[in-house]
Structures are given as structure tokens and as C-alpha cells.
Amino acid sequence: MRTTLATLLAVWAGISTGRAQGVDLLLVDGTVYTVDPSRPWAEAVAIAGDRIVSVGTSADLRRLAGPRTRVIALRGAFVSPGFNDAHVHIDSTGALLTGANLLDVHERARFVERIQAATARLPKGSWITRGDWGAYEQWNAGSAGAAGSATAAAPFLPDRSDVDPVTPDHPVFVNRFDRSAYFANTLALRAAGITESTVAPPGGAIDKDASGRLTGVLRGAAADLVARVVPPISFEQRLAQVRAVLREAREGGVTTMQDLTTAPQLAAYQELRRRGELTARIMVRPQLWEVTHVAALGLSRGFGDEWLRLIGFKAWVDGIMGSSGALFFEPYAHDPGNKGYPRHIMFPEGAEGAALRMTASQRYTDFGQGNLEKLIEQAADTGLPPHVHAIGDKANRILLDVYERVLTRRQMVDADHRWRVIHAQVVHPDDFARFGKLKLVAEVNPYHVSDDMRWMEERIGTQRNEGAYAFRKLKDAGAVLVFGSDSPGTNAARYYLSPVYGLYAAVTRQTLTGEPAGGWFPDQRLRIEEAIEAYTRAPAWASFEEDLKGQLAPGRLADLAVFDTNLVEAARSDPQSLLRAKVRYTVVGGRIVFEAGR
Ligand SMILES: [Zn+2]
């Protein structure tokens, strides 16, 4: 076994250097939570090269120090394996971080200020896009629903006379969070050829003020006039975006990100790696419709190395809760004509309209073999697992039906396949057991609980919410839970890469301000040890990397995070204090990539 050999070599290297020069890095006097079930707690970690060579007491490990060893006395600080975020949209997170983040903006001065700040981060001539202004006009960030509503009289709308003076070199084309309005500055209007005499296309509107002057606000189809002239971003800008995400990751103790990857993104990761700038490992997931290309090239599971590795294919069954696009058996409570919709990768289906027609007593596979099932068959041929998004109860049923048929036909149910259901957000009561029976991984986003609970009951009622973000039920059924931030979040809220938000949400099921008391569906809360495992050891396992990382043990990669707060104690005594926990050091492959105050 390769891993056993690697382990022995690493230990041997550590011992031999220990005799001569000492190990490279020694962390002592810490509170080390190893996530290694055979030895959960320790005081010290010794690192040689990119590997952990020993975990134990400070007294024992100090003997491995030599003249060249950097010794860090942690004074009780908390050490855990580096966090492995199983669900990051690196491209859109980077765009948000380097562009203009307007989520919390709903008045003129701040709008102008944020746009101006973005011009300083972006080269002249680059477009400032997205933005998502006005998200918190409806509720204050982090609060609970209606009780926390901000009271804005009329929705804020920007005007180009305010923005033009600060954007002489940057076309601006940003949108309100719900896409009900877009805003273009004069440079952007000019690029699109929009003038006061332009007639809005059907289904669109071009706003003018009382004197007939363009305000820059565009609606509906009129926004497409600008959207189609926005050029793709430059490679340098893409690198800058990835760098911004890497910075947020290392500041949060995240040492691996599992991405949803496009070709230009992968090129950027490779370039940053060449330049020595990767400070987190990136697990790559192309979209499932690329399966024929991946298969043609002979790429399979594990292709790549410990920095950049191919781990699966991403696909989607349905839309999302935020836009009422998640697919349900019964209509939305607030929108009785709507049960959500299937995503385009589902088409053609085995029978026309199958996903929409199917009832709670039916199986999706009874309608024949649709496109999703065919692609999953091809993925199975490559050995790369499918990782498929399913949010509504019907979407989860559809995916379980498809997985069950393919796994059964290929006699793979017991074959250690590690196929994933992404989100598993609202599961029908009859379907929990199937997660265990089919030995599936549930890749969930705990922070959704803190954010979505504000409107979940209003949208799908109380009963269906008994199966919503039901982490305890999934775990009890036998699913392996892995956590991801889902950064950058929804277009109404930022989800940060820092794992403390997800840990807090999983153990409290409360908003950031602690509502409701006792937690939302509190029987679904997890213990902090389970939550940390879902953010470290479990995602490493789910990517077939359990022998490489996910716990602090000899032979594993030296990826770890040091916090100023004991996360295990904090979760038990004062969960709110998790949110204030700060990272002191982040170490990736034995290299300190973040040090607080430096
Ligand atoms: Zn996502």
C-alpha cells in the first residue's frame, strides 16, 4: 500500500532529520484536537517537510527540536486539522471580493463609495459587475426574519450622475440582488449603444428621470443590451480573484477547498501553483456534461496531486430555495402555482415532463432513462464520482432513484463509491433511510440553516421543514456528512469561508444573533466533535484522501489551523464565542501561510 510506505518514509525522514538538524516546525504547549479517534487530544505537533512526523506531549516532542527547528509555543491555543471546505464557488467568491460587494447597500452614499473602492482594485478599463445591492433592505444581516426587518420606505435606486464622477475609467454594470433592476454608468450605456432615443426591447424598461434623461437603471430584457457587451475577464483579473479567495481561506484556517471548476479557473490555479502562490489545496470538479472529454482523455479518480486533484463531476437536479426554484412534490406555501423546476442538464428526460409530473408515490426511474442518468453512467465508467445538487424533496427523490438504479445495475452499492448528494436540503421522510442503504455522502451547507430559517416556514410550511437541513437524521440514516460554506452564498447573504460560521450553525441551529432560543428544529443539532469531523476528516474521506489529511497524525500532510479559542469548549459553554474565534496560524504542507498580526 502506497500510503503505508509514505507514512513510514515520512516518519523515518522526521527521525533522521530529528537526529541531525531537528524537525522543521514544532508546535508545543497547545490544545491539539487531532480528529484522530485513536488519540483525540495532544499538546504538540512536529512537522518535517510537508508532513506531520509526530503528535504527542510537549515534553516528548521537544526532543525532536534541533538548531534549525522553528519552535512555536502556543500557550494553550487550539490546534485542529486544516479545514476542508467541501463546497466553494471560487470564481464567484473571487468576483465578489475583488469587485463591488453591495449586498448591504441601499442608499446613495455607500453605493458610490463601494463602487469607487472597487475601481482601486481593478485595472482601468475593467468592468465592475454583479454587486447585488439592496439584499438587506428586506432584513438586517444575521437577524431573524420579519422581526429584524429594516424599514426602507421605497427601494433604493442608483443614478449615473452620482456614479459617473468616480468611474471615469471603469464601465459599471451591477444588479439589485433579486435582478429586478440593473444599473449601468455612462461608459457602460455608451458601450451598449444605449441613448435617450433607444426603445426598450419587449419585456424590458430603460428608466428616465422627469426631464427624460437616462438614470442608468435598466430592467428585464433591457439589461441584456448591456450584458451582451460585457467582455470576459482577463487572465490577470482571474488570478487576482483567486488570490483574494486564497487570502480569505488562509485567514479562516481553510487548507483545502472543493471547487466547482471551469477550464479558465483550472488554468488560473495551475498558474498560481507555478508561481508558488497556492496557499490552499484545490479539489477540482468539472461539470458533468464534460464527462465525454474527461473520459476521452483517460482522466480518472485521483488524477492530479495533493495540490490540485480531480475528485468528481458536478451536476444539478433543481433550482434553489432563494428563488423558489427547488423542486418539490407539493407547491410552495407562498406561491401555490409553483413547485420549482428541473435544471437543463436533466433534459431530455426519459419521458416528457417527468420531473414535473412525478408524484410522491412514484419513482423517477419509472419514466425511463433521462439525460442525467445517462451522464451518471458515463461518469461511473471513468471512476470519478458524481456530485449532484438536489434541494427540494422531489429533487432528492429523483437523484436517489437515479443513483439507486445505476449503482444497483453496476453492482456498486457496496463498492466504496462515495457518490455525493450536494445540499440534501429538504428530504422526504421516506427517503432518509436510502442515504444509508446506498452509502451516500451528503455534502451539506450548515450556514444555510442560520440564513434560510428566516423564511423557510413561510415558503414550505412546518411539516416539510422537519426534513430540512436534517443533519441528525441524515447521519443516523448512515450518510457521511461533509460540510461546505457554499461561499459566496446566496445573492441575499454572504457566506464566509471561515468555518466558525458553519460550526456555529450546526451546533446551535440559530441565527448569528442567537434566534430562536434553543435552535430551529433543535433535535437536528450536531455535537461540535461531529461538526469538526464533517469539516475535516469526512471531506478528506469523501475525496478519497483520508490517508493524506483530515486528522493530525504521523504521515499525514501538515495542514493545520491554530485558533485563539478552544472550539470544542466554546461550542459547549458559549456557542456565540465561536463566531469571535480568530485564527492565529494556518499551516499548509508544513509552511506557515497565515500568521495573525503579520
Ligand atoms: Zn453552491
Side-chain angles (χ1 to χ4, degrees), residues 87 89 260 314 389 422-423 445 486:
H87 193 103
H89 300 263
L260 313 162
K314 170 83 192 276
H389 160 127
I422 298 182
H423 302 306
N445 316 107
D486 207 2

Side-chain angles (χ1 to χ4, degrees), residues 234-253:
S234 70
F235 193 61
E236 280 305 317
Q237 192 175 335
R238 196 175 288 279
L239 294 180
Q241 291 183 356
V242 180
R243 283 192 193 102
V245 181
L246 289 167
R247 183 183 315 119
E248 189 178 307
R250 59 184 182 259
E251 287 173 1

Side-chain angles (χ1 to χ4, degrees), residues 56-77:
T57 64
S58 298
D60 282 350
L61 267 60
R62 277 187 196 277
R63 289 199 288 258
L64 298 174
R68 288 176 45 188
T69 304
R70 177 169 179 193
V71 182
I72 299 179
L74 295 173
R75 297 195 195 89

Side-chain angles (χ1 to χ4, degrees), residues 190-457:
R190 207 176 284 157
I194 298 174
T195 66
E196 279 159 15
S197 54
T198 303
V199 178
I206 301 173
D207 282 18
K208 291 175 187 165
D209 65 15
S211 62
R213 190 191 127 275
L214 297 172
T215 65
V217 172
L218 306 165
R219 300 164 197 270
D224 298 340
L225 300 174
V226 184
R228 67 183 184 214
V229 302
V230 178
I233 63 168
S234 70
F235 193 61
E236 280 305 317
Q237 192 175 335
R238 196 175 288 279
L239 294 180
Q241 291 183 356
V242 180
R243 283 192 193 102
V245 181
L246 289 167
R247 183 183 315 119
E248 189 178 307
R250 59 184 182 259
E251 287 173 1
V254 174
T255 56
T256 297
M257 291 184 279
Q258 305 189 18
D259 184 38
L260 313 162
T261 316
T262 57
Q265 284 293 115
L266 183 54
Y269 306 153
Q270 292 181 87
E271 179 59 22
L272 290 173
R273 182 181 184 184
R274 251 191 306 275
R275 298 188 192 184
E277 292 185 52
L278 269 194
T279 54
R281 307 172 192 281
I282 300 179
M283 303 294 109
V284 172
R285 299 189 276 192
Q287 295 169 357
L288 182 57
W289 50 72
E290 310 286 11
V291 63
T292 45
H293 302 287
V294 171
L297 292 169
L299 304 178
S300 187
R301 194 183 77 212
F303 183 80
D305 60 22
E306 57 225 25
W307 284 100
L308 291 173
R309 191 191 301 285
L310 200 52
I311 58 160
F313 289 106
K314 170 83 192 276
W316 300 258
V317 175
D318 62 343
I320 58 171
M321 283 304 304
S323 59
S324 304
L327 192 59
F328 285 95
F329 288 113
E330 299 300 324
Y332 284 89
H334 71 302
D335 183 5
N338 179 25
K339 299 180 185 177
Y341 62 86
R343 295 280 276 269
H344 62 291
I345 198 167
M346 299 275 293
F347 299 102
E349 298 190 81
E352 206 177 315
L356 288 173
R357 278 195 277 138
M358 176 186 170
T359 65
S361 57
Q362 289 176 302
R363 293 258 166 156
Y364 186 64
T365 40
D366 294 339
F367 293 86
Q369 193 189 43
N371 193 48
L372 183 69
E373 186 174 339
K374 287 178 187 157
L375 291 172
I376 287 172
E377 282 277 7
Q378 291 179 57
D381 288 337
T382 71
L384 270 166
H387 296 178
V388 183
H389 160 127
I391 296 214
D393 56 8
K394 191 194 268 192
N396 278 281
R397 168 75 56 83
I398 288 172
L399 184 60
L400 291 166
D401 289 346
V402 170
Y403 274 179
E404 182 169 318
R405 183 150 80 182
V406 178
L407 288 169
T408 306
R409 184 162 53 216
R410 303 176 74 100
Q411 298 184 307
M412 278 177 64
V413 174
D414 297 314
D416 197 19
H417 51 78
R418 309 187 198 183
W419 287 14
R420 296 197 203 178
V421 179
I422 298 182
H423 302 306
Q425 206 154 301
V426 184
V427 175
H428 189 281
D430 297 347
D431 288 330
F432 281 101
R434 302 174 73 194
F435 279 83
K437 193 178 138 223
L438 297 174
K439 301 190 165 58
L440 296 172
V441 175
E443 177 189 316
V444 299
N445 316 107
Y447 190 68
H448 274 290
V449 180
S450 292
D451 188 38
D452 296 352
M453 74 163 84
R454 294 177 291 207
W455 39 256
M456 281 295 281
E457 290 184 64

